[in-house]
Amino acid sequence: MTGRIFVVGWLLFLIPNRGLGEEVKFRLAGDWEVHVSRMTETGQERSTKLFVDRSQAVDVRNERHPSLPLYNARTAVWLKGIRLEKIRAQEVTTPYLLEPASVTLRSGSGPDSATFLRERDFELDDDWGTVGRLPEGRIEEGQPVFISYRYVPLRLDSIVLSQEGDIELRRGIPRAAAPHPPAIVQGERRLANIWLPGRIGKLAPEHLFPVLERSYPEPPKPSPTVAKQLLPRTLEKLSSGEELRILAWGDSVTDGSYVSEHERWQVQFVAGLKKRYTNANIMLVTEAWGGRNTSRYLAEPPGSEHNFREKVLGAKPDLVVSEFVNDAGLNPQQVEQLYAGVLSDFRAINAEWIILTPHYVRPDWMGLTGEREVDVDPRPYTIGLRQFSQKHRVALADASLRYGRLWRQGIPYSTLMLNSINHPDARGMAIFADALMQLFP
């Protein structure tokens, strides 16, 4: 039974909790106040008033940078200048954490150091917190600067039903990226998460994430399974113990150098196969190129480090698993045109193929206005992959479906992104592995 959501006056969530014999209701009743009530099996209503601690701003004093590049307003927002360290999220920064008016640049750490002026000496991207010097300003090339600023970190709190039957608010740990909900112990139940995404003036409906599902509702596997229908040679080698060469092909998400090796989706996938098929003899090869897409691989000349024929086809894979969130700008017609040629090349070397649908990325990059009620991936690329796989009988591991339901598990999907944009952490990588394992008996 899934949860139902109603909006009547104040925001009201109704969560049937199978196994508890009760219903839980939530409503926002103030800028930082949440009321929770539950009806027990005996018909008694128990109500609790919770006050959420708004995220506290953090002051950073005299963060030293050895030099400032020229501010470049025409490049990507996270590349306009240097990145402030405390709001850094891997190679970028997390947007909307910085309080722009708090930024001060000085020539030294002492109180008598020269103070530089915005619009005269330096410029700043208010949202992303990148800073650069201006060509006519007083900051010289190679000159160290000391930057002071204030920011508000991300946080994910939880509303928990304790072992004693009390409803409590647990505070998460503030982070610049990928915050986790607070831990709970056996016998406790997480009822909802409260998402505090940096600078907000008050709680709003989009910040409340009731737990409507405990996990992704795995659909019944078809009979025969997808692997039996579309990956017979792979399945035969898994069962017989003959060496199976799997090529993981993709972009930075497949490269995965920003997480531990055992956390990468392809390594988790192979571990799952070995656990299920005890005779499996798998050779895993990864060919990945951060920031690039399928077209870029196909355009690389012979001898290139990432030439398609030499590095993908030349790996002589039995099974190719591809992940290209960087193909997300393609429409269904472009998917058909591009991927049909790739499929022909794979079939020419007797390689089977699994296509992974992409994970969710920043909401505004996907045409979304938030991270709740996002079951349906609106990107034409995802639609095109589903159409292509059905038309050409290519196995599809639909990770996008799983990402779209994270909000039902009380999880804003962006909290899985280590760069606050599109680099999944170990939890996000596991979603790909789970989608792949669903194809196999």
Side-chain angles (χ1 to χ4, degrees):
M1 186 174 185
T2 58
R4 295 170 288 165
I5 299 179
F6 300 93
V7 179
V8 181
W10 280 321
L11 185 71
L12 177 65
F13 294 89
L14 183 61
I15 307 178
N17 290 329
R18 177 174 290 178
L20 289 183
E22 62 181 26
E23 291 180 336
V24 183
K25 303 175 185 178
F26 302 85
R27 63 182 174 91
L28 300 179
D31 288 354
W32 299 98
E33 185 177 331
V34 181
H35 287 193
V36 185
S37 66
R38 60 190 181 95
M39 191 70 68
T40 66
E41 291 180 333
T42 60
Q44 294 179 323
E45 184 172 9
R46 298 186 61 181
S47 298
T48 304
K49 184 184 298 185
L50 302 173
F51 294 93
V52 179
D53 293 331
R54 64 185 302 168
S55 295
Q56 296 299 308
V58 178
D59 287 308
V60 180
R61 298 299 181 196
N62 295 320
E63 180 178 284
R64 186 183 187 277
H65 292 266
S67 64
L68 282 187
L70 287 172
Y71 187 77
N72 186 350
R74 297 183 178 181
T75 190
V77 285
W78 55 86
L79 295 176
K80 290 181 178 180
I82 59 96
R83 294 174 288 277
L84 298 175
E85 287 301 321
K86 296 301 182 181
I87 61 171
R88 190 173 184 134
Q90 293 190 333
E91 80 284 12
V92 299
T93 54
T94 296
Y96 312 119
L97 302 188
L98 180 69
E99 294 184 0
S102 71
V103 176
T104 303
L105 271 70
R106 293 179 181 271
S107 61
S109 58
D112 297 330
S113 301
T115 299
F116 299 115
L117 301 178
R118 184 174 181 178
E119 297 183 353
R120 175 182 169 183
D121 301 312
F122 72 93
E123 194 47 88
L124 162 73
D125 185 280
D126 286 353
D127 295 335
W128 290 80
T130 46
V131 185
R133 61 187 173 88
L134 295 177
E136 304 301 324
R138 292 175 292 164
I139 305 174
E140 298 179 1
E141 182 179 0
Q143 177 182 352
V145 295
F146 294 77
I147 307 179
S148 299
Y149 56 95
R150 182 181 302 112
Y151 72 99
V152 181
L154 309 173
R155 202 176 82 220
L156 196 59
D157 294 351
S158 290
I159 298 174
V160 176
L161 182 64
S162 73
Q163 294 171 320
E164 294 75 24
D166 298 322
I167 294 175
E168 302 174 356
L169 181 65
R170 304 277 176 83
R171 194 174 187 271
I173 298 175
R175 296 185 63 180
H180 287 233
I184 61 174
V185 301
Q186 186 174 2
E188 295 182 331
R189 183 181 177 95
R190 199 184 312 272
L191 301 178
N193 287 323
I194 299 174
W195 174 219
L196 303 174
R199 300 186 333 246
I200 59 172
K202 62 179 181 179
L203 291 177
E206 61 266 25
H207 302 133
L208 189 55
F209 283 73
V211 178
L212 307 177
E213 298 173 348
R214 299 295 156 184
S215 60
Y216 180 75
E218 297 286 355
K221 292 186 179 182
S223 182
T225 61
V226 172
K228 286 185 177 180
Q229 295 179 59
L230 304 178
L231 308 168
R233 293 189 296 278
T234 295
L235 199 57
E236 181 181 355
K237 289 192 173 187
L238 283 172
S239 301
S240 68
E242 183 181 353
E243 183 180 87
L244 173 68
R245 290 180 63 84
I246 297 179
L247 175 68
W249 177 41
D251 48 37
S252 59
V253 176
T254 297
D255 173 73
S257 56
Y258 56 85
V259 295
S260 300
E261 183 176 358
H262 71 275
E263 295 175 336
R264 298 171 190 173
W265 65 259
Q266 62 269 43
V267 177
Q268 293 192 54
F269 171 47
V270 168
L273 289 176
K274 288 181 176 179
K275 184 176 180 180
R276 187 171 298 179
Y277 301 93
T278 55
N279 291 329
N281 177 17
I282 300 172
M283 172 65 72
L284 174 63
V285 179
T286 294
E287 171 53 45
W289 195 6
R292 307 307 196 277
N293 56 23
T294 304
S295 294
R296 185 61 185 271
Y297 262 97
L298 296 176
E300 285 298 288
S304 166
E305 183 181 359
H306 298 288
N307 174 267
F308 174 73
R309 295 202 169 274
E310 295 170 1
K311 294 305 176 73
V312 178
L313 301 181
K316 299 181 180 179
D318 300 301
L319 172 66
V320 179
V321 186
S322 64
E323 168 283 318
F324 276 103
V325 69
N326 285 337
D327 274 348
L330 300 176
N331 61 38
Q333 293 75 28
Q334 292 167 326
V335 170
E336 172 65 29
Q337 181 178 5
L338 180 63
Y339 281 45
V342 173
L343 176 60
S344 178
D345 288 333
F346 287 162
R347 287 179 171 168
I349 63 169
N350 293 317
E352 296 173 328
W353 189 13
I354 302 175
I355 299 174
L356 276 164
T357 57
H359 57 298
Y360 279 32
V361 301
R362 281 182 51 83
D364 53 339
W365 289 14
M366 293 182 58
L368 300 173
T369 58
E371 300 187 46
R372 280 192 356 202
E373 291 93 35
V374 292
D375 301 63
V376 179
D377 186 335
R379 291 172 291 186
Y381 171 61
T382 305
I383 296 170
L385 290 181
R386 292 169 180 158
Q387 293 174 350
F388 177 85
S389 64
Q390 184 174 16
K391 175 181 177 180
H392 295 277
R393 290 185 55 77
V394 173
L396 186 78
D398 210 336
S400 174
L401 283 178
R402 295 167 183 263
Y403 268 92
R405 293 186 78 97
L406 283 174
W407 72 275
R408 294 178 177 270
Q409 298 164 41
I411 302 172
Y413 68 80
S414 66
T415 63
L416 274 59
M417 301 299 138
L418 289 169
N419 66 350
S420 294
I421 300 176
N422 62 356
H423 280 177
D425 63 9
R427 299 169 297 170
M429 292 286 192
I431 292 174
F432 290 118
D434 290 343
L436 289 163
M437 290 302 301
Q438 176 66 16
L439 306 180
F440 289 82

